[in-house]
Amino acid sequence: MNIQLYKMTSKKNKTGGLPNYFKKIGCGLILLTFAVAMVIKLSGFLHLEDGSKEIARTIFLDLIILGLLLVTLSKDKVEDEMTLALKLKSMAGAFISGVVFTLFYPFSGLIFNEPLEQVSSTQLIMTILTFQIMTYYGLKRSEAK
Amino acid sequence: MKNTIKVERAKLNMTQQDLAEKIGVSRQTINSIEAERYIPSTVLALKIAAFFNTTVNDIFKLDEND
């Protein structure tokens, strides 16, 4: 019997991406941002002017997007061709979901008799990243059955 | 595409984890290949065949849907 040990990642097939621990950093960043935002909102100890509120809101949303991006870009503990294929599938699905979201979101306001509202870049990016992460882990779970 | 990886593994009394470590993939990938949910790449199929000291054609067979 020909037994050879093949290295988990060969130099030729390096998948790239951030180290696995960035996943925890990304999740931590998202949770921390939510927590701080909720504390500020509920406690009301920080009285912000309208302009400052907008800046704070932008910063919070950008931090959440950054956290989602870190989770998306970080590698799994064990990466191989199947996980790469699942990632590509989830990215394709995320792209399509972004397009569908952009097409239909403006009309969602009509249900509540509100004016049409275009999708902002922040909403679009968050939708794409969230959909990619959910799809990827959903596919992994279905493969594990 | 059908395969006989489970049979080959059983002959050597190996777990999916053992085979995964020897081949250089995750246990999940071996499980998915055996369950015919995932079709391995040419390189991976050749590695599996070489590991079992047999040919790709002996392990992997096309079925009616392919």
Side-chain angles (χ1 to χ4, degrees), chain B residues 44-62:
Chain B
L44 184 54
L46 284 167
K47 281 183 182 179
I48 292 170
F51 177 79
F52 290 122
N53 204 23
T54 182
T55 64
V56 173
N57 288 348
D58 285 339
I59 295 185
F60 297 96
K61 301 238 185 292
L62 294 172

Side-chain angles (χ1 to χ4, degrees), chain A residues 1-9 13 78-83 85-86 139-145, chain B residues 12 20-29 31-32 37-41 44 46-47 50-53:
Chain A
M1 183 175 53
N2 184 23
I3 300 176
Q4 291 182 13
L5 284 174
Y6 297 100
K7 283 187 183 173
M8 194 70 79
T9 52
N13 296 326
V78 177
E79 283 240 327
D80 59 14
E81 59 177 58
M82 194 182 80
T83 58
L86 293 180
L139 285 172
K140 273 188 78 177
R141 200 161 290 154
S142 67
E143 287 292 334
K145 286 178 188 170
Chain B
L12 300 174
E21 283 170 13
K22 294 282 192 298
I23 296 296
V25 295
S26 63
R27 186 205 64 81
Q28 208 173 356
T29 300
N31 183 41
S32 294
R37 284 193 305 264
Y38 177 72
I39 297 173
S41 66
L44 184 54
L46 284 167
K47 281 183 182 179
F51 177 79
F52 290 122
N53 204 23

Side-chain angles (χ1 to χ4, degrees), chain A residues 88-102 124 127-129 131-132 135:
Chain A
L88 287 174
K89 253 189 200 175
S90 66
M91 296 257 180
F95 176 77
I96 293 169
S97 75
V99 173
V100 171
F101 179 70
T102 306
L124 179 60
T127 302
I128 289 174
L129 288 172
F131 193 87
Q132 190 274 325
T135 307

